[in-house]
Amino acid sequence: MDALGGQDKAVFVAGAGEIATSDPIAELIQTLGLTADEAAEPTAIVTADGLENAAQRLKSAGFMLMDVVAVDYGAYVEPRPERFSVLYNIYHPYDHRRLFLRVWLPDGQSLPSLYPIWKSANYLEREVYDLMGVVFDGHPDLRKILTPDDMEGHPLRKDFPIEETPTLFRDGRFLDPATFRAGMTGQNAGLSGWRGSLRKGGTGDIEPPVMPEGGPK
């Protein structure tokens, strides 16, 4: 069976006394005609023009779209091909193969929506659009999903105004980025009144969450 259809890892003799192991993900990337990226997880580089074709082939082979995220390398210390990277987490539910597709994008370039291929792309692409400003052409309902409709800017971009100017809303409200960020990172209670991912006030050591007596309420 070819790499798209799935196969078990096989051990074979590569040479005199030399043992090699086939890699299903490497074969999958090769079958798709893509280039492997240097990353902690198996990742392949795909162009914006080739994204739909790669996604359609993976969908036909039984793969699912699990997540879509974007990264802004605008302030990264090492050079990158473009400022933005959009990553697609692709997973096969039966043989548990996982592959990430990475698309490099300059600021202002759009991507084709994968909603016609995977319906799960609906909310996932809306989140990337909301937080990073990446536009997905052909999306049926591309609007914000996490931040208020009248908030200006995209809060996960490196140029989002932190400690410079507040984010204004049309009704006169404002979000002071420095105070909000201080609350979320645990520097102080800030506007959120909570600390870090566990949402506890104060500056002490983060304690593991404890199940309430008698179970969840």
Side-chain angles (χ1 to χ4, degrees), residues 8 102 131 148 189-190 193 210:
D8 297 330
R102 185 194 300 274
L131 300 180
V210 178

Side-chain angles (χ1 to χ4, degrees), residues 47-48 71-73 80-86 103-111 132-135 157:
T47 64
V71 182
D72 183 356
Y73 288 95
R80 286 294 182 262
E82 298 291 350
R83 174 178 171 179
F84 293 100
S85 168
V86 178
V103 186
W104 289 103
L105 288 177
D107 192 3
Q109 181 178 342
S110 61
L111 282 175
M132 280 292 193
V134 177
V135 173
R157 282 179 172 239

Side-chain angles (χ1 to χ4, degrees), residues 157-168 174-181:
R157 282 179 172 239
K158 297 301 183 184
D159 54 5
F160 188 74
I162 300 296
E163 297 182 350
E164 295 175 4
T165 58
T167 301
L168 298 177
F174 72 93
L175 168 67
D176 177 36
T179 307
F180 181 77
R181 179 61 60 88

Side-chain angles (χ1 to χ4, degrees), residues 13-64:
V13 178
E18 181 181 355
I19 302 296
T21 303
S22 65
D23 184 345
I25 299 299
E27 293 178 5
L28 174 63
I29 294 174
Q30 184 178 19
T31 301
L32 291 169
L34 303 177
T35 302
D37 190 17
E38 294 184 4
E41 299 291 340
T43 305
I45 300 294
V46 60
T47 64
D49 293 337
L51 177 61
E52 289 177 292
N53 178 62
Q56 186 60 67
R57 294 182 65 187
L58 288 165
K59 169 66 179 299
S60 298
F63 283 83
M64 302 162 48

Side-chain angles (χ1 to χ4, degrees), residues 6-212:
Q7 64 180 21
D8 297 330
K9 275 194 172 182
V11 179
F12 59 92
V13 178
E18 181 181 355
I19 302 296
T21 303
S22 65
D23 184 345
I25 299 299
E27 293 178 5
L28 174 63
I29 294 174
Q30 184 178 19
T31 301
L32 291 169
L34 303 177
T35 302
D37 190 17
E38 294 184 4
E41 299 291 340
T43 305
I45 300 294
V46 60
T47 64
D49 293 337
L51 177 61
E52 289 177 292
N53 178 62
Q56 186 60 67
R57 294 182 65 187
L58 288 165
K59 169 66 179 299
S60 298
F63 283 83
M64 302 162 48
L65 176 64
M66 304 301 292
D67 200 4
V68 183
V69 299
V71 182
D72 183 356
Y73 288 95
Y76 200 64
V77 295
E78 297 180 358
R80 286 294 182 262
E82 298 291 350
R83 174 178 171 179
F84 293 100
S85 168
V86 178
L87 283 159
Y88 297 82
N89 182 349
I90 313 295
Y91 178 74
H92 200 293
Y94 298 126
D95 59 30
H96 309 298
R97 284 177 294 165
R98 188 183 303 274
L99 173 66
F100 289 85
L101 299 179
R102 185 194 300 274
V103 186
W104 289 103
L105 288 177
D107 192 3
Q109 181 178 342
S110 61
L111 282 175
S113 173
L114 297 187
Y115 177 81
I117 300 173
W118 286 297
K119 294 299 183 283
S120 60
N122 186 357
Y123 290 157
L124 300 176
E125 291 176 349
R126 284 178 59 187
E127 182 179 359
V128 173
Y129 165 71
D130 187 1
L131 300 180
M132 280 292 193
V134 177
V135 173
F136 294 90
D137 298 328
H139 191 285
D141 187 24
L142 192 62
R143 55 191 169 90
K144 291 187 172 189
I145 190 172
L146 293 176
T147 65
D149 290 338
D150 56 350
M151 192 183 86
E152 300 175 0
H154 306 280
L156 290 189
R157 282 179 172 239
K158 297 301 183 184
D159 54 5
F160 188 74
I162 300 296
E163 297 182 350
E164 295 175 4
T165 58
T167 301
L168 298 177
F169 297 81
R170 286 196 295 267
D171 63 1
R173 293 176 296 119
F174 72 93
L175 168 67
D176 177 36
T179 307
F180 181 77
R181 179 61 60 88
M184 296 302 292
T185 56
Q187 297 175 28
N188 56 53
L191 291 180
S192 67
W194 306 99
R195 175 175 188 252
S197 60
L198 295 184
R199 302 297 187 261
K200 290 186 176 182
T203 58
D205 293 336
I206 295 179
E207 300 176 357
V210 178
M211 181 69 69

